[in-house]
DNA sequence: TAATAGTGTGTTTTT
DNA sequence: CACACTATTA
């Protein structure tokens, strides 16, 4: 066991061996966070403080969960199967599968991914004859999700105006539709399991007693609901005091007043109440029988796992906290980059306060980057207010300077980068160790083009994932329909794919009928299209036949069969781009085979393989990416790079309006989130870091003139090496990329020395670039991009613009 | 009903 | 510049 703890630095050791108490570990980038987390688990188990079944470990990504599991098996001679280690969504899914009845869900409930959810909403809007211009489906989706992530049901949602009250009504309708169809979206997975636990006290107590130690990774990314879920399981949900103000720390005041508490949606019961109530919300199955049965052993129905021995909860020793689990949260507020998705960095401060965390342990020694890189990152992030505070350091030397270059255009930037990449490769850098990072996906295009023409192998992350491909979704929709014919999302997806003569007209009739009969599309179709010979009727018969023919077959064969009989194979056989799609369909069959194999030895739920495979498909859209490249340069957004590291990193497009992104200026604390994003980007690099920006960039088919990013100025000059090769390139690129815009540049040069592309200064708006101009003489107006201040039209006669 | 030409709209997105 | 979605034809 002692070798478990070998090679930990003092802070890591302190964190790993912390006595049973709540803890917050502030783990900087590259400080060995995952190691601490897994070693902590291993240490707790190997010292007999807790059995494997007393552990609940939560991550955000499947990758992180798998990593944790892998490291754990390497450290301990135990069977990790059946341990509760997984993502929030995965664990909630598991909980709901085990107690679907109590949660009011069918045993084969399906999970809607984001695009499924969107189409469900579109369908709803059409059904209810709602104006989709006034209520855009996308916007409605985020409205609903935001509420669910705050733990707010439609019944409790605040409707401060006509518009919002309509949206709340639609929220309610949407939930009803999901309930009818037996499907849950991602947020619902969490909210539903939270409600299950708050409403079913015996069940909740069972889990509270089972889990002695709860460990959370990337805690800064938790949203309100996830935090509430953790608190509940830690047995800390009821006695939180949300009293007034509290110790007023600078910068946190706004979030303390978030008043609406996350309480179960039962009327007239404060957070202190304990009566088991079933009110509001989606229909609940309230059989006392179900409760009692599950309370004794929630997974008792599971005949698979033979050894129940270590399920016996070890008697809590030296338990400092009455009845609850110890919450061990690891996070880094400086790497919180998902606020736009509902993550609440403030949860860290709340945790510290609400769980009376005695001492926050800081892991600041970085094992990844050279000193200069860390210095730059530290300097940058100092500009954010309200941090928990942390300074990364390393024993490695300062290393090389950070290279900065300015290109004349995005094309030039790409060229410079690719040239440098090739040089790095010549110098012995592995291509997989070179990453090209950018703020938005659109930027990858130019880079890809350059890499391609230079014959440099590359791999782009974040393209569409395996289970997101249309052919896969189609096949899965058939599978879903076999499992649950109420699934209207699946029904609409494949009712006319491959085309079988069921167009808009018959579909609308179907929807009308289903709406009237309050039944699923499938049932409406079955009764309506009963007349043999109709195309709708034959679709129903197709599904029925599929269902009966595949009954009892192993999953891969079911899929194979359905691909054949549905006509999918035939369809893609004739389509010219269909070859790859056919390969993917075959790959789906393989995936099912592999899934069964992996699942068979992971004593999991007793759920049908069909249900768990479908859940797997939605929850693990799959690292299953094309071109699992060997020796390829890595391209990805900064978001996607979080958690990764590379020997050499290029951060491109460091321009005002792009990074920081202009839309971020509108959002509350938007600039600070952008800065954290930049911080994440910087700290990905081990040895060499390149920062680049371009003077002009093609955006939406138009040339834009750009100022260097504010973030470049925030880096200490002495760490930077400006490699400005832009002029040479500008000269070598004559007019070919430029027919319209630059021609006008000279044309429009005016007497006061202002021209397009000119940097100017304005008394109020600060530094900007002239983007375009119109009018002459006293009418002359110029459009200036002031970066974060936005784009402005200014009359030359009045606005004082000084050329810079 | 289905394929085609037109229009409008563009961050980031672990699940 | 590209893509998704709409309105239009055959």
């Amino acid at each position: 066991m002692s070798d478990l703890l070998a090679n930990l630095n003092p802070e890591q050791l302190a964190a790993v061996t912390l006595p049973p108490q709540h803890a917050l570990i502030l783990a900087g980038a590259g400080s060995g966070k995952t190691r601490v987390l897994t070693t902590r688990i291993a240490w707790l188990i190997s010292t007999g403080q807790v059995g494997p079944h007393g552990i609940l470990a939560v991550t955000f990504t499947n990758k992180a969960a798998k990593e944790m599991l892998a490291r754990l098996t390497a450290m301990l001679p135990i069977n990790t199967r059946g341990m509760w280690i997984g993502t929030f969504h995965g664990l909630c899914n598991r909980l709901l599968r085990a107690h679907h009845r109590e949660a009011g869900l069918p045993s084969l409930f399906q999970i809607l991914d984001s695009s499924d959810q969107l189409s469900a909403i579109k369908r709803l809007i059409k059904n209810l004859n709602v104006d989709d211009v006034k209520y855009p489906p996308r916007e409605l989706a985020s409205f609903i999700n935001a509420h669910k992530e705050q733990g707010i049901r439609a019944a409790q949602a605040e409707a401060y105006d006509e518009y919002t009250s309509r949206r709340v009504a639609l929220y309610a309708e949407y939930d009803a539709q999901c309930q009818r169809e037996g499907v849950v979206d991602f947020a619902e997975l969490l909210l539903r399991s939270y409600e299950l636990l708050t409403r079913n006290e015996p069940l909740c107590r069972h889990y509270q007693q089972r889990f002695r130690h709860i460990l959370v990774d990337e805690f800064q990314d938790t949203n309100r609901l996830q935090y509430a879920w953790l608190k509940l399981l830690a047995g800390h949900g009821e006695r939180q005091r949300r009293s007034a103000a509290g110790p007023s720390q600078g910068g946190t005041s706004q979030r303390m007043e978030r008043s609406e508490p996350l309480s179960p949606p039962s009327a007239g019961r404060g957070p202190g109440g304990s009566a088991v109530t079933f009110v509001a919300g989606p229909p609940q199955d309230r059989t006392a029988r179900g409760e009692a049965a599950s309370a004794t052993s929630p997974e008792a129905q599971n005949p698979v796992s033979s050894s129940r021995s270590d399920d016996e909860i070890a008697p809590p020793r030296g338990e400092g906290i009455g009845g609850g689990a110890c919450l061990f949260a690891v996070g880094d507020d400086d790497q919180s980059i998902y606020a736009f998705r509902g993550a609440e960095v403030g949860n860290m401060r709340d945790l510290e306060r609400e769980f009376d965390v005695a001492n926050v342990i800081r892991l600041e020694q970085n094992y990844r980057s050279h000193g200069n890189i860390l210095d730059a990152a530290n300097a940058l992030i100092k500009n954010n207010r309200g941090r928990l505070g942390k300074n990364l350091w390393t024993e490695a030397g300062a290393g090389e300077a950070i290279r900065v270059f300015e290109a004349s255009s995005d094309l030039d930037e790409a060229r410079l980068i690719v040239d440098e990449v090739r040089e790095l490769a010549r110098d012995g850098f592995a291509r997989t160790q070179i990453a090209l990072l950018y703020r938005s996906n659109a930027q990858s295009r130019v880079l890809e083009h350059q890499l391609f023409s230079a014959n440099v192998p590359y791999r782009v992350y974040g393209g569409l994932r395996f289970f997101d491909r249309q052919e896969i979704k189609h096949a899965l929709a058939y599978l879903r329909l076999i499992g649950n014919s109420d699934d209207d999302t699946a029904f609409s997806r494949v009712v006319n794919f491959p085309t079988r003569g069921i167009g808009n007209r018959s579909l609308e009739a179907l929807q009308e009928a289903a709406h009237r009969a309050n039944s699923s599309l499938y049932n409406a179709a079955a009764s309506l299209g009963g007349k043999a010979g109709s195309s709708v009727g034959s679709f129903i018969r197709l599904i029925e036949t599929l269902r009966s023919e595949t009954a009892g077959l192993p999953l891969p064969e079911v899929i194979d069969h359905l691909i054949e009989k549905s006509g999918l194979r035939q369809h893609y056989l004739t389509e010219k781009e269909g070859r790859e799609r056919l390969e993917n369909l075959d790959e789906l069959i393989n995936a099912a085979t592999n899934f069964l194999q992996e699942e068979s030895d992971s004593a999991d739920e007793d759920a049908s393989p069909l249900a768990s495979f479908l859940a797997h498909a939605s929850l693990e859209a799959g690292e299953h990416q094309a071109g699992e490249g060997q020796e390829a340069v890595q391209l990805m957004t900064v978001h996607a790079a979080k958690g990764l590291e590379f020997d050499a990193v290029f951060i491109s497009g460091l321009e005002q309006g792009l990074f920081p992104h202009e839309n971020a200026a509108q959002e509350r604390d938007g600039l600070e989130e952008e800065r954290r994003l930049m911080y994440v980007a910087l700290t990905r690099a081990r040895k060499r870091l390149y920062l680049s920006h371009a003077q002009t960039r093609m955006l939406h088919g138009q040339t834009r003139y750009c100022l260097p990013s504010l973030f470049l100025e925030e880096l200490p000059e002495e760490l930077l090496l400006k490699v400005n090769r832009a002029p040479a390139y500008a000269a070598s690129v004559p007019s070919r990329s430029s027919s319209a815009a630059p021609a006008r540049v000279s044309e429009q040069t005016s007497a006061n020395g202002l021209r397009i592309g000119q940097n100017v200064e304005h008394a109020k708006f600060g530094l900007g670039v002239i983007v375009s101009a119109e009018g002459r003489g006293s009418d002359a107006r110029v459009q200036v991009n002031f970066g974060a201040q936005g784009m402005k039209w200014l009359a030359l006669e009045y606005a004082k613009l000084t050329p810079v």
Side-chain angles (χ1 to χ4, degrees), chain A residues 91 185 196 249 261 301 319 453 465 477 497 545 565 680 738:
Chain A
L91 295 173
D185 59 48
L196 169 70
Q249 296 270 5
Q301 322 126 305
E319 192 51 68
S453 35
R465 291 178 290 197
F497 193 96
T545 321
K565 288 295 166 71
V680 168
S738 50

Side-chain angles (χ1 to χ4, degrees), chain A residues 447-607:
Chain A
L447 292 168
E448 283 186 70
H449 184 77
Q450 272 325 105
L451 286 165
F452 186 81
S453 35
N455 240 316
V456 179
Y458 64 91
R459 175 181 176 197
V460 188
Y461 279 76
L464 70 159
R465 291 178 290 197
F466 183 72
F467 287 107
D468 288 338
R469 294 168 186 282
Q470 65 149 357
E471 63 275 21
I472 302 301
K473 296 216 96 178
H474 283 135
L476 290 180
Y478 280 105
L479 198 58
R480 278 161 63 167
L481 271 184
I482 292 174
N484 169 17
S485 51
D486 289 342
D487 191 335
D488 286 358
T489 306
F491 183 94
S492 332
R493 175 175 276 276
V494 291
V495 65
N496 195 33
F497 193 96
T499 51
R500 44 176 75 90
I502 303 174
N504 267 328
R505 208 178 54 216
S506 21
L507 217 56
E508 265 164 34
L510 256 184
Q511 255 154 14
E512 180 66 21
H515 190 59
R516 217 193 304 273
N518 195 28
S519 77
S520 65
L521 288 173
Y522 186 92
N523 283 338
S527 49
L528 202 81
K531 323 148 196 164
S534 79
S535 33
V536 172
S538 61
F539 175 69
I540 297 295
R541 278 200 304 284
L542 169 69
I543 298 298
E544 297 292 353
T545 321
L546 278 176
R547 189 176 296 138
S548 60
E549 282 177 354
T550 59
L553 285 183
L555 191 57
E557 286 176 38
V558 175
I559 296 173
D560 193 13
H561 190 83
L562 113 215
I563 291 172
E564 199 58 54
K565 288 295 166 71
S566 65
L568 278 179
R569 187 179 297 277
Q570 185 56 38
H571 174 87
Y572 288 121
L573 225 45
T574 51
E575 201 177 68
K576 29 180 202 293
E577 299 290 321
R579 213 183 64 237
E580 200 188 328
R581 298 198 191 277
L582 280 174
E583 283 167 15
N584 286 330
L585 286 173
D586 286 335
E587 186 54 36
L588 179 67
I589 301 173
N590 290 337
T593 313
N594 292 335
F595 178 79
L596 286 189
Q597 239 150 41
E598 280 168 31
E599 205 66 353
S600 67
D601 51 28
S602 86
D604 218 19
E605 306 115 75
D606 56 341

Side-chain angles (χ1 to χ4, degrees), chain A residues 198-215:
Chain A
T198 49
R199 288 171 184 177
N200 191 327
E201 204 171 296
L203 192 68
C204 185
R205 239 198 326 269
H206 169 86
Y207 282 105
Q208 285 174 341
Q209 276 159 14
R210 169 179 177 160
F211 299 126
R212 308 316 301 161
H213 288 272
I214 301 178
L215 300 96

Side-chain angles (χ1 to χ4, degrees), chain A residues 208-531:
Chain A
Q208 285 174 341
Q209 276 159 14
R210 169 179 177 160
F211 299 126
R212 308 316 301 161
H213 288 272
I214 301 178
L215 300 96
V216 197
D217 192 17
E218 307 275 20
F219 186 77
Q220 78 283 351
D221 288 337
T222 52
N223 61 35
R224 281 259 267 150
L225 179 57
Q226 285 158 340
Y227 181 44
W229 188 84
L230 290 168
K231 278 204 282 195
L232 187 64
L233 280 170
H236 212 273
E238 308 286 305
R239 72 185 104 121
Q240 50 171 303
R241 43 214 135 92
R242 275 203 181 268
S243 54
S248 56
Q249 296 270 5
T252 55
S253 47
Q254 356 167 286
R255 53 180 320 284
M256 285 196 164
E257 53 180 67
R258 25 176 237 199
S259 49
E260 207 59 38
L262 252 169
S263 60
S266 41
R269 191 155 67 81
S274 58
V276 183
T277 45
F278 296 90
V279 215
Q284 296 289 312
D285 185 322
R286 37 150 86 195
T287 54
R289 186 168 42 90
E291 253 173 62
S294 58
T296 41
S297 169
E299 290 162 299
Q301 322 126 305
N302 181 1
V304 187
S305 55
S306 48
S307 90
R308 290 258 133 224
S309 59
D310 50 4
D311 198 17
E312 294 306 322
I313 294 152
R317 315 176 193 171
E319 192 51 68
I321 306 126
C326 294
L327 188 56
F328 185 90
V330 181
D332 180 359
D333 54 329
D334 291 333
Q335 290 190 69
S336 159
I337 55 174
Y338 285 107
F340 72 94
R341 253 177 128 258
E344 295 255 4
V345 219
N347 283 345
M348 296 185 83
R349 275 225 159 85
D350 285 1
L351 179 118
E352 194 181 342
R353 194 181 70 249
E354 293 171 355
F355 283 79
D356 299 315
V357 175
N359 62 326
V360 175
I361 296 180
R362 288 180 160 71
L363 306 181
E364 299 178 290
Q365 180 172 1
N366 175 292
Y367 297 93
R368 179 185 297 159
S369 313
H370 283 159
N372 283 342
I373 294 169
L374 293 184
D375 289 349
N378 284 331
L380 177 95
I381 204 66
K382 274 216 180 76
N383 292 294
N384 273 5
R385 294 171 309 116
R387 298 172 56 221
L388 294 177
K390 190 168 34 58
N391 219 40
L392 296 177
W393 61 276
T394 178
E395 282 177 353
E400 301 175 34
I402 296 164
R403 286 155 227 242
V404 179
F405 51 84
E406 174 171 28
S408 61
S409 69
D410 50 350
L411 195 86
D412 272 347
E413 184 191 37
R415 232 192 308 252
L416 280 162
I417 289 174
V418 172
D419 280 355
E420 199 61 37
V421 164
R422 297 172 81 182
E423 206 141 308
L424 286 176
R426 268 200 296 279
D427 290 351
F429 279 78
R431 274 192 291 265
T432 47
Q433 282 305 319
I434 303 175
L436 273 42
L437 308 185
Y438 34 82
R439 174 66 237 265
S440 65
N441 282 308
Q443 290 168 253
S444 77
R445 200 164 222 80
V446 225
L447 292 168
E448 283 186 70
H449 184 77
Q450 272 325 105
L451 286 165
F452 186 81
S453 35
N455 240 316
V456 179
Y458 64 91
R459 175 181 176 197
V460 188
Y461 279 76
L464 70 159
R465 291 178 290 197
F466 183 72
F467 287 107
D468 288 338
R469 294 168 186 282
Q470 65 149 357
E471 63 275 21
I472 302 301
K473 296 216 96 178
H474 283 135
L476 290 180
Y478 280 105
L479 198 58
R480 278 161 63 167
L481 271 184
I482 292 174
N484 169 17
S485 51
D486 289 342
D487 191 335
D488 286 358
T489 306
F491 183 94
S492 332
R493 175 175 276 276
V494 291
V495 65
N496 195 33
F497 193 96
T499 51
R500 44 176 75 90
I502 303 174
N504 267 328
R505 208 178 54 216
S506 21
L507 217 56
E508 265 164 34
L510 256 184
Q511 255 154 14
E512 180 66 21
H515 190 59
R516 217 193 304 273
N518 195 28
S519 77
S520 65
L521 288 173
Y522 186 92
N523 283 338
S527 49
L528 202 81
K531 323 148 196 164

Side-chain angles (χ1 to χ4, degrees), chain A residues 599-798:
Chain A
E599 205 66 353
S600 67
D601 51 28
S602 86
D604 218 19
E605 306 115 75
D606 56 341
S608 77
L610 192 144
S612 52
F613 180 66
L614 287 172
H616 167 82
S618 328
L619 292 176
E620 300 180 42
E623 259 309 287
H624 237 290
Q625 298 239 342
E628 197 91 359
Q630 50 344 305
E631 267 309 278
V633 174
Q634 315 280 302
L635 273 70
M636 67 193 86
T637 64
V638 181
H639 281 92
K642 190 173 136 191
L644 306 178
E645 57 182 63
F646 307 91
D647 284 340
V649 168
F650 292 79
I651 307 173
S652 65
L654 282 166
E655 294 134 36
Q656 285 297 92
L658 191 62
F659 197 0
H661 198 279
E662 52 200 345
N663 295 0
Q666 267 75 42
E667 274 149 48
R668 175 168 58 84
D669 297 332
L671 184 64
E672 297 217 338
E673 176 140 322
E674 293 290 304
R675 191 177 282 114
R676 289 193 292 269
L677 198 51
M678 179 67 178
Y679 177 78
V680 168
L682 294 172
T683 52
R684 296 311 94 196
R686 276 197 281 257
K687 302 178 187 154
R688 203 178 276 199
L689 180 58
Y690 294 86
L691 310 176
S692 64
H693 63 99
Q695 293 168 337
T696 68
R697 183 171 294 276
M698 278 297 258
L699 210 59
H700 311 325
Q702 278 187 330
T703 308
R704 259 177 60 163
Y705 295 82
C706 306
L707 286 174
S709 170
L710 164 76
F711 298 149
L712 284 169
E713 286 165 38
E714 294 180 356
L715 305 178
E717 193 118 22
E718 65 272 17
L719 301 176
L720 309 180
L721 173 66
K722 304 214 170 171
V723 211
N724 204 349
R725 288 194 276 161
Y729 271 84
S732 73
V733 183
S735 56
R736 91 178 211 304
S737 66
S738 50
S739 43
R744 245 183 305 171
V745 170
S746 48
E747 221 174 80
Q748 295 265 343
T749 304
S750 69
N752 28 17
L754 295 177
R755 53 175 179 80
I756 289 177
Q758 171 81 52
N759 287 354
V760 292
E761 183 150 10
H762 183 272
K764 190 164 152 215
F765 303 124
L767 231 49
V769 186
I770 298 186
V771 171
S772 60
E774 61 179 40
R776 292 259 154 207
S778 65
D779 280 341
R781 301 191 313 138
V782 289
Q783 190 182 24
V784 187
N785 179 3
F786 289 104
Q789 318 292 317
M791 196 75 86
K792 312 269 187 224
W793 276 104
L794 300 171
L796 278 184
E797 199 172 359
Y798 306 110

